[in-house]
Amino acid sequence: LRRASILMTMLLEKVMLNSQPSKTVQMSVGLMLAGALVAALGDISFNMMGYIVIFFNDLFTALNGVIMKRTAEEYRKSKMTVLFLNSFLSAIGVAIII
């Protein structure tokens, strides 16, 4: 179900950035998600807590990508600059916690 983050990213970009993906991209994402669901059908050890954790991981992965893209566009910075600033500020937060 890790492939669901691609679908979430596409939906969040549509909502937050008002961008419409092409039909080809939509079909590709749909096929990848269908393949992931077919693979998950054979999951013998179904664990609801595991699926919940994966869902939130997918959600936060998608939010991270969309917010970084929006920030890069708003402040006219490259994605590498935004990534550097994000990492730098996170390092300061982790240093304070430790």
Side-chain angles (χ1 to χ4, degrees):
L1 290 177
R2 282 284 302 139
R3 298 286 183 242
S5 65
I6 299 168
L7 175 65
M8 288 184 185
T9 301
M10 187 174 68
L11 294 174
L12 285 171
E13 282 185 355
K14 185 174 183 177
V15 171
M16 295 175 71
L17 302 176
N18 295 323
S19 67
Q20 180 67 30
S22 67
K23 295 292 182 191
T24 307
V25 170
Q26 291 177 11
M27 287 176 45
S28 298
V29 170
L31 284 173
M32 286 192 319
L33 190 60
L37 289 175
V38 167
L41 289 176
D43 188 7
I44 296 172
S45 61
F46 176 79
N47 182 353
M48 182 56 105
M49 187 58 155
Y51 280 98
I52 291 170
V53 169
I54 294 291
F55 171 79
F56 281 109
N57 182 45
D58 292 347
L59 178 65
F60 292 132
T61 299
L63 276 170
N64 181 46
V66 172
I67 289 171
M68 282 187 60
K69 184 174 183 179
R70 185 176 69 181
T71 303
E73 289 174 0
E74 281 181 15
Y75 295 105
R76 293 184 179 91
K77 302 289 183 190
S78 70
K79 285 187 178 184
M80 290 304 293
T81 302
V82 174
L83 181 62
F84 171 76
L85 292 172
N86 183 32
S87 298
F88 182 72
L89 293 173
S90 297
I92 292 171
V94 169
I96 290 170
I97 291 172
I98 293 176

